[in-house]
Amino acid sequence: MKKSYIIITIVLLAFSVVNMQAQRIWGNPMGQYVYNPAGAAMNDLGEVAASYYNTYASATNSPQGFLLMGSGSFPSDKVGAGFRFTNESGGVLKTTMAEATFVYKTPVSRNSKLSFGLSAVYNQLGFAWDKMNPQHQNDPILVNAANAGYYFDANFGVSLNEANRYYIGLACYNLLGQQTSWLLPSFTNRSSRLVSLSGMYSFNLLHGDAKLETTGVLMTYQPQDEFTPVYDLSARLIYRKSGWLGAGYTNHMVKVLCGLYIQDLAIGYAGGIGIGDISDYGYAFPKHELFLRLELNTSKSSRTPAY
């Protein structure tokens, strides 16, 4: 009985990882692409960004991960593409996600565009075997999970935006709701559909020397489960594109943001301050995140020779 309980617990934890991977909210200003496929290549510039994050760092085998993403426009500037790669681990479980995105953009006014994004996604689940110490090597859960499981899926989003001014968009993740090939064959382990609403608006201050950028994200699963909804509200003050300071609030956590620009390179840090029940368990600073972003001048105007 005890052995069956352990097996069921591990399976349920694995299922929660499938959900939590898509539910991830980044603390740094990563842009809309992490919440909406239509957010790739939004500013008609190429970009490459990377982030390392750790949650509950004081706990043994605490959740941590790495994100790498990039996007850019094609010569017509109406078509763009992007990619995302994440690798996350928590406890004895680990997940990997790779995404390729196609974006079509059409003007709706002088400065605004309506963007549509469609992504093909590969997900992989597995055990971090170096962190395991099984008592029985022939345990059914270990035998069935000897090889990493996987599933394919698709994401779609739409976004109305003006470069460096505002965006608002709606996206749906895990459209196919595929069953994974991992763990017990008789266990129906499917990815849940995730709906994401994201927006940003920036205000010019100090005669254009500074701007206040406000962002918001709301995520919920359909059908809803115990992990929903997830939300994030933040604001940062950017001064002469030399650096920024900001703050925000997400589920049971207050965020602090800071960063600086070195020409086309941005370096940032986001930290979380736990409030409510989470702080009672010793996690006063449960979240740390480092961020790098490089802009590439690939816009149509930069490719046109000057006469």
Side-chain angles (χ1 to χ4, degrees), residues 9 23 54 66 68 86 100 109 126 149 157 161 183 193 207-208 237 246 250 262 303:
T9 300
Q23 195 182 35
N54 188 300
F66 174 78
L68 177 66
T86 62
S109 68
N161 60 82
L183 300 181
R193 288 186 177 90
H207 305 287
L237 181 64
T250 184
I262 305 174
R303 293 191 297 265

Side-chain angles (χ1 to χ4, degrees), residues 4-293:
S4 299
Y5 176 79
I6 294 174
I7 292 176
I8 294 173
T9 300
I10 295 178
V11 172
L12 292 178
L13 284 173
F15 182 61
S16 70
V17 170
V18 177
N19 285 340
M20 292 298 287
Q21 180 180 10
Q23 195 182 35
R24 175 90 181 103
I25 284 189
W26 282 264
N28 276 295
M30 302 293 291
Q32 193 185 27
Y33 184 31
V34 291
Y35 312 113
N36 189 333
M42 178 181 297
N43 295 331
D44 299 329
L45 290 172
E47 68 169 359
V48 177
S51 177
Y52 169 79
Y53 43 93
N54 188 300
T55 309
Y56 312 120
S58 60
T60 303
N61 296 332
S62 60
Q64 58 184 318
F66 174 78
L67 163 72
L68 177 66
M69 73 176 191
S71 66
S73 295
F74 290 170
S76 68
D77 281 343
K78 287 188 176 181
V79 179
F83 73 89
R84 284 200 305 152
F85 173 84
T86 62
N87 185 272
E88 300 181 339
S89 65
V92 298
L93 304 174
K94 60 181 180 180
T95 63
T96 300
M97 185 276 292
E99 175 187 64
T101 304
F102 172 82
V103 180
Y104 178 78
K105 301 174 285 184
T106 181
V108 294
S109 68
R110 181 178 180 181
N111 297 316
S112 297
K113 295 181 180 180
L114 185 64
S115 301
F116 302 90
L118 180 64
S119 299
V121 186
Y122 170 80
N123 294 280
Q124 181 174 291
L125 311 173
F127 279 136
W129 294 100
D130 58 318
K131 298 179 181 179
M132 298 185 65
N133 184 24
Q135 299 299 311
H136 302 283
Q137 297 295 332
N138 295 324
D139 191 305
I141 192 67
L142 301 179
V143 174
N144 285 297
N147 297 315
Y150 64 90
Y151 68 97
F152 296 92
D153 224 311
N155 307 327
F156 177 78
V158 59
S159 175
L160 178 66
N161 60 82
E162 178 183 333
N164 300 315
R165 186 66 174 178
Y166 75 87
Y167 63 72
I168 181 169
L170 183 67
C172 185
Y173 286 74
N174 306 325
L175 287 173
L176 305 181
Q178 292 294 290
Q179 180 175 344
T180 71
S181 63
W182 198 46
L183 300 181
L184 302 179
S186 60
F187 183 74
T188 303
N189 189 2
R190 294 183 180 274
S191 56
S192 299
R193 288 186 177 90
L194 176 69
V195 178
S196 170
L197 176 65
S198 55
M200 181 276 286
Y201 193 86
S202 63
F203 303 87
N204 289 325
L205 303 173
L206 303 177
H207 305 287
D209 286 340
K211 70 176 182 178
L212 178 66
E213 182 183 270
T214 58
T215 59
V217 181
L218 175 65
M219 293 181 173
T220 181
Y221 282 103
Q222 297 298 327
Q224 291 190 2
D225 58 29
E226 61 182 300
F227 298 114
T228 59
V230 178
Y231 57 88
D232 179 276
L233 299 172
S234 62
R236 60 171 182 151
L237 181 64
I238 307 170
Y239 183 71
R240 289 185 177 179
K241 203 178 178 180
S242 60
W244 71 84
L245 290 173
Y249 181 79
T250 184
N251 299 64
H252 309 296
M253 196 182 305
V254 173
K255 298 192 308 178
V256 292
L257 312 173
C258 63
L260 57 88
Y261 293 99
I262 305 174
Q263 296 183 349
D264 293 330
L265 178 67
I267 304 173
Y269 168 79
I273 303 173
I275 59 176
D277 294 339
I278 193 173
S279 61
D280 295 336
Y281 293 93
Y283 298 114
F285 300 96
K287 179 179 181 179
H288 300 280
E289 181 180 309
L290 297 175
F291 161 77
L292 292 173
R293 179 175 180 267

